Amino acid sequence: CKMIAGILTADGYRVYAAANATAAIALAKEATQPMELFIAPLADPEAAAVARMLLARRAGTRLLDIGPEDSNHTFTSLPAGQVALLAKPFALSELLKIARHLLDS
């Protein structure tokens, strides 16, 4: 989490980093700016719950699933430009490329 947040921050993104689902929900509720991209292993039930909460607050939130390629994808009903999978392990350059693609779509 810290490495991903550091890379995105260095590339100019505003990043809210949370150690767990409870902290992520608190950050989302307190944030003054909308969270446009949520990065988490979405097969994790707690991460999926946070993603659903973010989507309920802002339907256009983009989701980047950083779980295993064979994980159970619970957000397949979203448009292709709103959700993407980046299977671990991944190159940090690939993370930046996919994040930019999701935010631009």
Side-chain angles (χ1 to χ4, degrees), residues 63 72 78 81 88:
L63 306 177
N72 180 17
L78 293 175
K88 289 182 177 179

Side-chain angles (χ1 to χ4, degrees), residues 8 13 16 25 32 46 53 61-63 70 78 84 98 104:
L8 291 170
Y13 294 96
Y16 298 96
I25 289 170
T32 58
E46 289 184 345
M53 186 270 302
T61 301
R62 276 36 175 201
L63 306 177
D70 62 350
L78 293 175
I98 290 178
D104 288 343

Side-chain angles (χ1 to χ4, degrees), residues 21-83:
T22 303
I25 289 170
L27 276 173
K29 289 180 179 177
E30 296 170 6
T32 58
Q33 300 291 319
M35 293 187 178
E36 296 179 6
L37 176 63
F38 180 64
I39 302 172
L42 297 177
D44 177 276
E46 289 184 345
V50 174
R52 282 188 200 88
M53 186 270 302
L54 289 170
L55 287 168
R57 290 173 164 258
R58 186 172 184 270
T61 301
R62 276 36 175 201
L63 306 177
L64 179 53
D65 184 353
I66 55 169
E69 193 161 353
D70 62 350
S71 67
N72 180 17
H73 302 287
T74 58
F75 295 93
T76 55
S77 63
L78 293 175
Q82 194 170 350
V83 62

